[in-house]
Amino acid sequence: MPTAVVIVAAGRGSRAAVGEDHLPKQYRRLGATTVLAETVQAFVTAPDIHMIQVVVHPDDHELYSASLGPLRHRCRAPVHGGATRQASVLAGLEAIASLSPVRVLIHDAARPFVSPSEIASVIAALNSGPAAICAIPVSDTLKRQAVDGTIAETVNRGGLWRASTPQGFRFDLILEAHRKALAAGETNFTDDASIAEWANIPVQLVSGSNANSKLTTADDLIIANHVLSARSPAKQLGPAIDIRTGTGFDVHKFAEGDAVWLCGVRIQHTHRLDGHSDADVGLHALTDAILGALGDGDIGEHFPPSDPKWKGAASHLFLEDAARRTTQRGAHITNVDVTLLCELPKISPHRDAMRAAIALMLGLDVGRVGVKATTTEGLGFTGRREGIAAMASATLVFPT
């Protein structure tokens, strides 16, 4: 029985913003990865899942690609969501309707700690019924508030559950229910079980875990990172440390093409950058900066352009290799910074995606990644728009 997953990741998540970091919460760092990547990974590794459809905001394609990295190849191409969660889910369902899945699980991108047992339990419940959702029995005492802010009454919590996700359905039934709700002007449902109830589809409650909570605020993200650290504690450095800094510089000329790769992000342009690999000048400079701090040669020594193996290679492979060399030395990267020198393309619209991509490659918090750009005021080869140059620095900490 083919089972699909629709992961809803089209929200803005403004309550999770910290300072000037306004990335939607699904793209925020979670340990060495991101919230969305952790969520997708849970379904990639789950048995009985045959396709994954992510629904994103129209402005977030670069963030999506940078956030998932290679995991994006395990998902169908993302589709655009709507103004509400309900509209976004319907967009995801319509996107896979032609594939005729028998069952579908609908899951919030901001619930990265969904367990294999929760996924399996919902799927198992669909073998005997048309719908099932993860939920948690209410254990707290509930109070209803009066208009003046005082307690109006204590609510009997007997039989009350907190709805969670994944929520699973027979695909044809939930798609029809969503379509009917839209046609009837019913657009304010906050979860898919509510639509199923409205359509008179019985929904089975499956006991879930409090760990599978939805990340909503900045505090939730802090707690989530502590949870990950407790599961896989990072190696602690002693009080004596050795700090080293490396720098890198690279240049690539333009050639005929329609896009450039810069700091792990593909940008539409009038030309491409010419090189043996994908010619990502920003990642090349940063790779050399890390290798310089390690005292371990340069990118050309480890990945010679004379070797056909690296023809057209994605430059994230080079940067990730430098990160592995750092780990093998018992060191860790604390900060990296890249400056791009070019007249065009404009870098500022892509800066957040570039920072997120580099952070994911190096397992860093995005706050430890800098990406800047400047022009040369029309001077030199960059001023003549013949190519792009990049400078980079990397700070590494070694235990002593």
Side-chain angles (χ1 to χ4, degrees):
M1 296 177 66
T3 302
V5 178
V6 171
I7 297 177
V8 191
R12 299 291 79 197
S14 58
R15 283 181 287 175
V18 177
E20 296 182 357
D21 189 350
H22 297 295
L23 282 178
K25 61 189 174 186
Q26 59 268 34
Y27 303 116
R28 296 285 301 279
R29 300 299 305 174
L30 191 58
T33 182
T34 64
V35 173
L36 178 59
E38 190 77 12
T39 300
V40 169
Q41 182 66 39
F43 289 96
V44 165
T45 56
D48 300 322
I49 299 296
H50 302 92
M51 66 186 83
I52 300 174
Q53 178 67 68
V54 183
V55 185
V56 303
H57 190 278
D59 296 339
D60 289 351
H61 279 274
E62 288 182 357
L63 285 172
Y64 169 84
S65 295
S67 175
L68 286 190
L71 270 179
R72 68 185 184 278
H73 302 303
R74 304 294 296 274
C75 305
R76 289 173 48 78
V79 295
H80 293 168
T84 64
R85 183 187 185 280
Q86 182 179 339
S88 294
V89 171
L90 178 55
L93 295 175
E94 296 285 11
I96 57 175
S98 63
L99 302 175
S100 301
V102 175
R103 305 174 292 203
V104 63
L105 305 187
I106 301 169
H107 188 70
D108 298 325
R111 294 184 188 271
F113 296 139
V114 58
S115 68
S117 62
E118 287 172 309
I119 296 171
S121 294
V122 172
I123 292 175
L126 293 178
N127 292 330
S128 57
I133 71 167
C134 265
I136 300 94
V138 171
S139 58
D140 296 322
T141 298
L142 300 177
K143 304 291 184 180
R144 192 184 308 279
Q145 180 182 335
V147 176
D148 63 359
T150 61
I151 296 173
E153 64 173 322
T154 298
V155 179
N156 185 350
R157 68 189 180 200
L160 295 181
W161 294 64
R162 289 189 291 115
S164 179
T165 67
Q167 300 190 353
F169 308 89
R170 294 281 302 206
F171 181 83
D172 56 345
L173 294 180
I174 195 63
L175 176 58
E176 181 183 13
H178 262 277
R179 287 172 173 172
K180 285 183 175 179
L182 179 62
E186 299 285 349
T187 58
N188 295 316
F189 292 108
T190 56
D191 79 339
D192 303 285
S194 300
I195 296 177
E197 296 163 44
W198 175 81
N200 295 315
I201 300 170
V203 182
Q204 177 69 41
L205 291 165
V206 173
S207 185
S209 167
N210 282 308
N212 182 23
S213 59
K214 189 174 184 179
L215 306 185
T216 302
T217 67
D219 285 344
D220 291 338
L221 286 161
I222 293 171
I223 293 169
N225 274 289
H226 284 316
V227 169
L228 277 186
S229 297
R231 289 180 177 179
S232 180
K235 183 176 181 180
Q236 299 295 314
L237 295 177
I241 57 174
D242 176 12
I243 300 175
R244 305 180 194 179
T245 300
T247 61
F249 181 80
D250 195 39
V251 172
H252 281 283
K253 64 182 180 180
F254 283 129
E256 285 189 18
D258 60 0
V260 295
W261 280 95
L262 290 174
C263 295
V265 175
R266 188 177 188 272
I267 302 172
Q268 294 297 123
H269 189 49
T270 56
H271 294 78
R272 65 176 173 85
L273 287 173
D274 190 29
H276 187 65
S277 64
D278 64 6
D280 190 325
V281 65
L283 294 189
H284 291 184
L286 185 52
T287 300
D288 269 349
I290 295 172
L291 293 174
L294 290 171
D296 192 7
D298 60 28
I299 193 172
E301 180 179 334
H302 298 291
F303 304 97
S306 58
D307 188 342
K309 176 181 180 181
W310 306 114
K311 178 69 174 176
S315 294
H316 70 81
L317 298 173
F318 310 151
L319 187 62
E320 289 164 355
D321 180 78
R324 282 192 294 272
R325 291 172 182 272
T326 301
T327 302
Q328 289 168 359
R329 294 279 295 275
H332 72 272
I333 302 165
T334 62
N335 182 76
V336 296
D337 187 35
V338 178
T339 300
L340 299 167
L341 292 81
C342 60
E343 299 291 330
L344 289 173
K346 293 295 184 183
I347 302 303
S348 57
H350 310 284
R351 182 180 289 112
D352 283 344
M354 292 178 179
R355 294 175 65 215
I358 292 171
L360 186 62
M361 295 172 202
L362 297 179
L364 293 177
D365 185 277
V366 73
R368 295 181 178 272
V369 178
V371 173
K372 309 184 300 297
T374 188
T375 71
T376 53
E377 301 292 338
L379 301 176
F381 77 92
T382 59
R384 294 190 298 270
R385 303 183 183 184
E386 296 171 359
I388 298 178
M391 303 182 296
S393 64
T395 303
L396 276 60
V397 175
F398 293 74
T400 58

